[in-house]
Every structure is written in structure tokens, then in C-alpha cells.
């Protein structure tokens, strides 16, 4: 009976958590959109107020409006007129003392993470942390820059070491390239491995013979055996 209960829990727990998270997100968006409609009812004539009241009763309308807003914003940001307008808006935000610090920091992080040309989270590696002989999975985010990069050799890498089971928090390390082992697993597979606390192990992917990553992995393995 205990085994059956655990098996049933493993089936329903991920599904229940997924439904709960989606329900919370949808409820939040619907609440925000309902508040905007209520404010519009107070400002618009009675005829328009009745139409807004009808919109408030449509489930999931906040999500639809959010998706449409993101699509329209993306269309605006991909043409010259829209880019000019966004630059002017960003310039205004950079003139506000407190807002400029928050906006610029979030903008730099989002551009690094979501840019198709960025280097963030493009490779999963093994690194010894928090002590020698103890290994963990990290993600290469690029190379050290600024003043820190000037004091380090060119072969240093910037690594993000996520925590388990919440990978949104972690540690930032700058280590030599020779001290990390390249992994063939994808970033998504590495994240699943971290979130599951090592329970969901990704399949083994063989690196193509002669590739740069295969040569680095072989060199790291030989060095670890000697060390």
C-alpha cells in the first residue's frame, strides 16, 4: 500500500503543482485586468461601462490581453519608428534618479539572458565547488569583463552556479577554463538535473570525435586522473 501511495503521489504531485502555479498566474493577471476595467468604468460613460462589465466576466481575458500586448510591443520594437520611441522612453527613464538604477540593471540582465547573440547559459560545465573534490554543475555566462577582467588571464570564464531546487538563486564564480569540464548535456537537461536534486539524470550524449568540446573534455579527464 505504501508503494502504491508513493507511486500515485509521484504522478499527481507535479500535475497539481503545475495547475496551482498556472491558476495563481491566471488569477493575478485577471485581477490586474479587472482593476483596470473597474477604473475605466468610473471614467467612461454608462454605455461603455456595461461593455467593460461584460469583459470582466470573461475568464482568462487578462492572459489574452497580456499576450496581445507583448506581440504588439514586439512588432513595435522591430521597426525603426518603434525603436526610436523605445529609445526616447529609455532616455526618459534614465533621467529619474532611483528608477534609472533599477531599469538599467534589469535591462542589462534581460538583454544578456534573452538575446539570441548573447553567451548566457549557452553551455553547462562541471566545476569544483565549494571545495576541491566536490563537483557541481554550472553554466558559462561569458568571460570576466571590466576591472575584474583586467586582473585575470584571458582564459578565465564567468560561471553561474545555481542552487537546488531553486535555480533562480546561486553564486557567481570566475575560474580558469582548465578547471572546468565541458558537458554534452543541454542547458535544459542540466536545469532539470539540478531542480530534481540529481534524481532526473539526463541521458549520456557522446561528443563528436575531433570536436573542440570533445578534445577539451578528454584533456580535462586526463588531467583529473593524473591529479
Amino acid at each position: 500500500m505504501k508503494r502504491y501511495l508513493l507511486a500515485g503521489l509521484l504522478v499527481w504531485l507535479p500535475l497539481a503543482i503545475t495547475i496551482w502555479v498556472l491558476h495563481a498566474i491566471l488569477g493575478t493577471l485577471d485581477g490586474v485586468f479587472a482593476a483596470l476595467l473597474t477604473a475605466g468604468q468610473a471614467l467612461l460613460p454608462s454605455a461603455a461601462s456595461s461593455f467593460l462589465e461584460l469583459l470582466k466576466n470573461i475568464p482568462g481575458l487578462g492572459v489574452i490581453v497580456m499576450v496581445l500586448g507583448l506581440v504588439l510591443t514586439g512588432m513595435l520594437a522591430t521597426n525603426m519608428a518603434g525603436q526610436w520611441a523605445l529609445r526616447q522612453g529609455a532616455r526618459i527613464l534614465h533621467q529619474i534618479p532611483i528608477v534609472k538604477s533599477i531599469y538599467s540593471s534589469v535591462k542589462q540582465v534581460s538583454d544578456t539572458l534573452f538575446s539570441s547573440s548573447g553567451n548566457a547559459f549557452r553551455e553547462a560545465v562541471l566545476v569544483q565547488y565549494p571545495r576541491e573534490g566536490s563537483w557541481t554543475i554550472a553554466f558559462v555566462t561569458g568571460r570576466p569583463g571590466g576591472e575584474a577582467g583586467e586582473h585575470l588571464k584571458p582564459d578565465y570564464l564567468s560561471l553561474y552556479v545555481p542552487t537546488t531546487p531553486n535555480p533562480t538563486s546561486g553564486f557567481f564564480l570566475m575560474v580558469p577554463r582548465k578547471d572546468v569540464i565541458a558537458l554534452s548535456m543541454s542547458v535544459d537537461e542540466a536545469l532539470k538535473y539540478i531542480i530534481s536534486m540529481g534524481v532526473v539524470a539526463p541521458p549520456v550524449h557522446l561528443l563528436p570525435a575531433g570536436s573542440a568540446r570533445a578534445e577539451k573534455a578528454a584533456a580535462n579527464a586526463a588531467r583529473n586522473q593524473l591529479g
Side-chain angles (χ1 to χ4, degrees):
M1 180 64 70
K2 181 179 179 181
R3 191 182 76 175
Y4 293 151
L5 287 174
L6 291 176
L9 181 64
L10 292 176
V11 172
W12 283 105
L13 184 60
L15 182 61
I17 294 177
T18 302
I19 294 175
W20 176 74
V21 171
L22 292 177
H23 182 269
I25 294 174
L26 294 176
T28 302
L29 293 175
D30 285 344
V32 172
F33 191 67
L36 294 176
L37 292 178
T38 302
Q41 286 178 315
L43 299 175
L44 297 176
S46 58
S49 298
S50 59
F51 176 72
L52 295 179
E53 185 65 29
L54 179 64
L55 291 178
K56 289 171 62 175
N57 297 325
I58 300 177
L61 187 60
V63 178
I64 298 175
V65 173
M66 183 194 69
V67 172
L68 289 176
L70 291 175
V71 172
L72 292 176
T73 304
M75 294 173 61
L76 180 67
T78 52
N79 60 72
M80 295 183 61
Q83 292 177 0
W84 179 85
L86 292 175
R87 285 196 299 268
Q88 298 304 315
R91 185 176 301 175
I92 294 174
L93 291 175
H94 280 91
Q95 301 300 321
I96 306 175
I98 299 178
V99 174
K100 67 177 182 181
S101 300
I102 301 174
Y103 177 78
S104 60
S105 300
V106 175
K107 187 74 166 57
Q108 290 177 358
V109 173
S110 62
D111 288 346
T112 303
L113 294 179
F114 298 109
S115 175
S116 58
S117 60
N119 295 321
F121 296 91
R122 290 292 186 262
E123 181 184 3
V125 297
L126 279 176
V127 64
Q128 297 190 83
Y129 183 82
R131 61 176 179 83
E132 185 177 357
S134 178
W135 293 86
T136 188
I137 294 179
F139 298 104
V140 178
T141 60
R143 299 183 182 277
E147 183 180 357
E150 295 178 356
H151 293 280
L152 300 175
K153 296 181 180 179
D155 64 336
Y156 270 68
L157 295 177
S158 297
L159 302 181
Y160 173 68
V161 180
T163 56
T164 302
N166 177 21
T168 59
S169 63
F171 305 93
F172 171 63
L173 305 178
M174 290 176 283
V175 301
R177 179 64 165 168
K178 62 181 181 62
D179 290 343
V180 304
I181 299 177
L183 298 175
S184 59
M185 70 176 68
S186 65
V187 173
D188 291 338
E189 291 173 336
L191 282 173
K192 293 177 183 177
Y193 196 32
I194 293 169
I195 294 173
S196 67
M197 295 174 286
V199 176
V200 182
V204 178
H205 302 287
L206 296 179
L207 292 171
S211 65
R213 293 186 65 188
E215 294 176 357
K216 291 178 181 177
N220 287 332
R223 187 182 66 255
N224 292 332
Q225 290 178 355
L226 294 175

